[in-house]
Amino acid sequence: MTNPLTIGALCISSVCYKEAGFMDYRFAAYKAAKELGFNVLRNPEDTGITQNSFNSALKHSNPVFILIIGSSSFEQSEKVVDECKLALENGLPIFVFIKVGNDKKIPDNAREIVKTISQTTYDGDCTLFGSCEELYDTLQARLNDYIKAKMTLRPDIQDNRGATYVYAYEQIKRAKKKIILSQKTSLLLLGPRKGNTYEHRAYEALLEWIQRKDRDMQFMHLFCWDETAADLAKSQEYDIPAAKRRLIDLLAAEKAKHAGMENSNLTFRAISGTVSNVAHLITDTGIQFVLPIAGNVFNLVLPYYFSTENELMKLITHLHAQPYKSYEDIIKMYDLRGC
């Protein structure tokens, strides 16, 4: 058996407490994870586990988070929703298992739970099961994949400019709660370079994510104001009019939704042109740094949970302190350059 200290902790939460066989489902999940070497916590079955200690584990132990959703009607548990949000806030690996009937269709109540937590929280992350045996097998399969990835995990360093946007695309598609993008020149204002397929994919993924984000999701964009303005005025590499139209439509929709950018969860910050800045992308699932070294560009990609929430919050707090730019500032930047 694998050493539990190597594999780590795992927390089981569920919203099927009125489901027939509910205890059996949770035990099947417990047994599958325990046999793989996880230190499994269940609330309230395990002796000595209180809601406070369960939440503390979510905050400080970097566990895998398992959510089991039943197929019968029930009253929604606010405690479970809070546990899910804690898992999101701490960038934990999240695996969702939904009980289905013979038709293999996700029940409406299960969709409502997912939507309550976040409209995009579990996009593509759900696994369906119909019995305890099937839950056991599918949970072990997903955890085995997770263990293999974790055991071989190391900083992924690539000296390729194209890799920057390939990794960014993957990070954006997986993001569930936050995206913080810092660049020398703004991909959102300039758009992708003409004919550059990897910039185009990352750009489209970013616009799509912003458009579908809900009130609990955050997007912050930092870029060098002066250098972006200079490229707006003279560069022929971009389709500036198309980028302008799409961004202005996006900002107008955001402004209408939040009655002013000051209260929005989409913000722009200006990086001083005199300050050396490492381009980076922070999401709730991963962190990417773009490092210029000896004329090359190196991409360092790590999972979010490799750092603590407190460490990351120090960085994010500093980013929030950069000069704020409003909806009107963005429009003026285009207008002053004749775009």
Side-chain angles (χ1 to χ4, degrees), residues 213-286:
K213 69 181 177 62
D214 61 29
R215 64 183 181 276
D216 294 322
M217 300 161 70
Q218 175 199 16
F219 176 79
M220 180 165 59
H221 187 28
L222 300 94
F223 58 93
C224 179
W225 194 258
D226 294 334
E227 294 201 36
T228 299
D231 271 12
L232 281 172
K234 64 182 182 182
S235 178
Q236 300 302 311
E237 298 180 31
Y238 309 93
D239 185 351
I240 301 296
K244 175 185 177 180
R245 287 194 300 272
R246 298 191 70 176
L247 182 58
I248 287 180
D249 288 346
L250 194 68
L251 292 175
E254 189 73 11
K255 185 178 182 181
K257 187 191 305 182
H258 293 277
M261 291 292 286
E262 293 287 352
N263 298 319
S264 173
N265 51 4
L266 184 157
T267 57
F268 292 85
R269 304 282 171 175
I271 304 168
S272 170
T274 61
V275 176
S276 175
N277 184 69
V278 173
H280 53 272
L281 175 65
I282 302 173
T283 75
D284 50 279
T285 59

Side-chain angles (χ1 to χ4, degrees), residues 69-319:
I69 301 178
S71 59
S72 297
S73 60
F74 52 83
E75 295 177 5
Q76 186 164 297
S77 170
E78 291 300 323
K79 289 182 179 179
V80 171
V81 172
D82 289 342
E83 290 168 0
C84 293
K85 291 183 177 180
L86 271 178
L88 278 169
E89 288 166 3
N90 287 277
L92 303 180
I94 298 173
F95 301 110
V96 182
F97 296 84
I98 300 177
K99 187 175 185 300
V100 295
N102 294 331
D103 58 5
K104 299 298 182 183
K105 292 182 179 180
I106 298 177
D108 290 341
N109 63 313
R111 294 184 187 278
E112 286 303 312
I113 293 166
V114 172
K115 187 176 179 181
T116 297
I117 299 164
S118 173
Q119 291 182 7
T120 59
T121 297
Y122 305 118
D123 184 17
D125 288 346
C126 297
T127 300
L128 308 182
F129 71 93
S131 66
C132 287
E133 292 79 6
E134 194 172 2
L135 174 60
Y136 174 92
D137 290 339
T138 55
L139 195 145
Q140 275 217 338
R142 295 206 66 176
L143 290 180
N144 268 318
D145 288 342
Y146 165 78
I147 291 170
K148 290 176 184 177
K150 185 174 182 180
M151 290 306 172
T152 59
L153 196 61
R154 60 182 183 270
D156 195 349
I157 302 176
Q158 296 279 324
D159 60 339
N160 185 315
R161 291 180 182 274
T164 298
Y165 287 94
V166 172
Y167 283 123
Y169 171 82
E170 293 172 352
Q171 294 276 83
I172 292 164
K173 295 295 285 185
R174 287 196 298 265
K176 305 174 190 306
K177 189 176 179 68
K178 75 168 66 123
I179 292 179
I180 298 174
L181 173 63
S182 176
Q183 299 176 288
K184 184 176 180 181
T185 55
S186 169
L187 177 65
L188 273 180
L189 268 75
L190 298 172
R193 290 179 178 85
K194 295 175 181 177
N196 190 315
T197 55
Y198 51 78
E199 284 191 11
H200 180 79
R201 287 177 75 232
Y203 174 71
E204 292 295 334
L206 191 61
L207 287 177
E208 179 186 354
W209 194 92
I210 296 171
Q211 287 166 348
R212 65 191 175 95
K213 69 181 177 62
D214 61 29
R215 64 183 181 276
D216 294 322
M217 300 161 70
Q218 175 199 16
F219 176 79
M220 180 165 59
H221 187 28
L222 300 94
F223 58 93
C224 179
W225 194 258
D226 294 334
E227 294 201 36
T228 299
D231 271 12
L232 281 172
K234 64 182 182 182
S235 178
Q236 300 302 311
E237 298 180 31
Y238 309 93
D239 185 351
I240 301 296
K244 175 185 177 180
R245 287 194 300 272
R246 298 191 70 176
L247 182 58
I248 287 180
D249 288 346
L250 194 68
L251 292 175
E254 189 73 11
K255 185 178 182 181
K257 187 191 305 182
H258 293 277
M261 291 292 286
E262 293 287 352
N263 298 319
S264 173
N265 51 4
L266 184 157
T267 57
F268 292 85
R269 304 282 171 175
I271 304 168
S272 170
T274 61
V275 176
S276 175
N277 184 69
V278 173
H280 53 272
L281 175 65
I282 302 173
T283 75
D284 50 279
T285 59
I287 307 168
Q288 175 183 356
F289 296 100
V290 184
L291 310 171
I293 302 174
N296 288 317
V297 174
F298 290 80
N299 292 276
L300 176 62
V301 184
L302 293 169
Y304 187 94
Y305 56 82
F306 252 42
S307 186
T308 67
E309 182 71 8
N310 287 339
E311 289 170 340
L312 286 170
M313 284 310 300
K314 289 179 183 178
L315 173 61
I316 293 170
T317 299
H318 175 73
L319 297 178

Side-chain angles (χ1 to χ4, degrees), residues 18-34:
K18 287 191 177 179
E19 181 91 10
F22 154 66
M23 298 295 288
D24 295 334
Y25 300 144
R26 286 169 63 93
F27 181 75
Y30 172 86
K31 184 175 175 60
K34 197 75 174 176

